[in-house]
Amino acid sequence: MTDDIVASVVRQWQAVDPALDTGPMELIGRINRCAALLQQAEDAPLRAAGLNRAEFDLLGAMRRTGRELTPGELARETFSSGAAVTKRLRVLQDAGLIARRGDARDRRVVHVGLTGAGRELVDRLLPEQLAYERSVLSGLDEEARSALSGQLGALLVQLEGRLGGGRR
C-alpha cells in the first residue's frame, strides 16, 4: 500500500522528535486532506448545472423540509452564516430557482421557497449527485463505508457537543 501525504508528514515529524505523539495529526490531517480533495472535485453534476455545493445545500434544505424557510432557518440548516445565505439566495433568485415572500404579520421577515424550476432541478440533480458521490467512494466496500460513516458520526457528535457546532 502506498503512503498518503499525511504518513509522509508524520514520518518527518517523528524524525525531528521520535517522542512526539502524532496520533491526532494522523487522524485530523487525513480528515482535513479528504475534505480538501472532495471540495476540489467540486461536485461535477452540480457544476454542470451551474451550481456550487453551498447553493445546492440551500435548495436541498427547502426541498427536504417541504416548506418555506426564513434565511435564518436556512443558515441553521446549512451551517452557514447569514451573510453567505443572503448572497446565495440572491444568486438562486436571479436564476429563477427560489422565490421570496414577505411575512403578512412582520414585514421584517422573509420566507423563501422553491419555484417549480427549483424543485425540478433538485429532484433531477440529487440522484445524479448521489451517484457521483458513490463513484467517489467506490474504492471502499460497503462494510468499510459503513464503518467509516459510523466512526465519523461518533466523532461529529463528540465535536458538536464539545465545540458547540451542533444543531439546535
Side-chain angles (χ1 to χ4, degrees), residues 83 85-95 98 100:
V85 166
T86 298
K87 180 181 175 184
R88 292 173 191 138
L89 289 176
R90 195 172 309 119
V91 169
L92 295 172
Q93 185 173 12
D94 289 348
I98 62 151
R100 299 174 196 239

Side-chain angles (χ1 to χ4, degrees), residues 30-148:
R30 286 186 174 101
I31 290 170
N32 286 337
R33 182 71 177 138
C34 286
L37 289 170
L38 288 169
Q39 286 179 342
Q40 283 176 13
E42 234 189 272
D43 307 314
L46 302 182
R47 190 174 55 246
L51 295 173
N52 62 40
R53 170 67 76 154
E55 293 162 350
F56 187 71
D57 285 349
L58 289 174
L59 297 173
M62 287 179 262
R63 181 68 174 113
R64 73 174 184 268
T65 60
R67 63 182 179 87
E68 292 179 325
L69 298 169
T70 66
E73 290 170 326
L74 283 165
R76 284 187 296 279
E77 285 289 327
T78 61
F79 310 104
S80 301
S81 72
V85 166
T86 298
K87 180 181 175 184
R88 292 173 191 138
L89 289 176
R90 195 172 309 119
V91 169
L92 295 172
Q93 185 173 12
D94 289 348
L97 301 173
I98 62 151
R100 299 174 196 239
R101 177 184 62 80
D103 189 276
R105 290 176 287 176
D106 186 345
R107 294 184 339 189
R108 297 170 296 175
V109 177
V110 174
H111 300 275
V112 183
L114 292 173
T115 62
R119 178 183 296 263
E120 289 173 16
L121 183 65
V122 172
D123 290 349
R124 177 179 62 79
L125 276 181
L126 185 58
E128 291 177 26
Q129 181 64 24
L130 291 172
Y132 170 77
E133 290 175 2
R134 198 171 292 107
S135 74
V136 168
L137 299 171
S138 66
L140 301 174
D141 64 26
E142 180 59 36
E143 186 178 334
R145 286 192 307 267
S146 180
L148 182 58

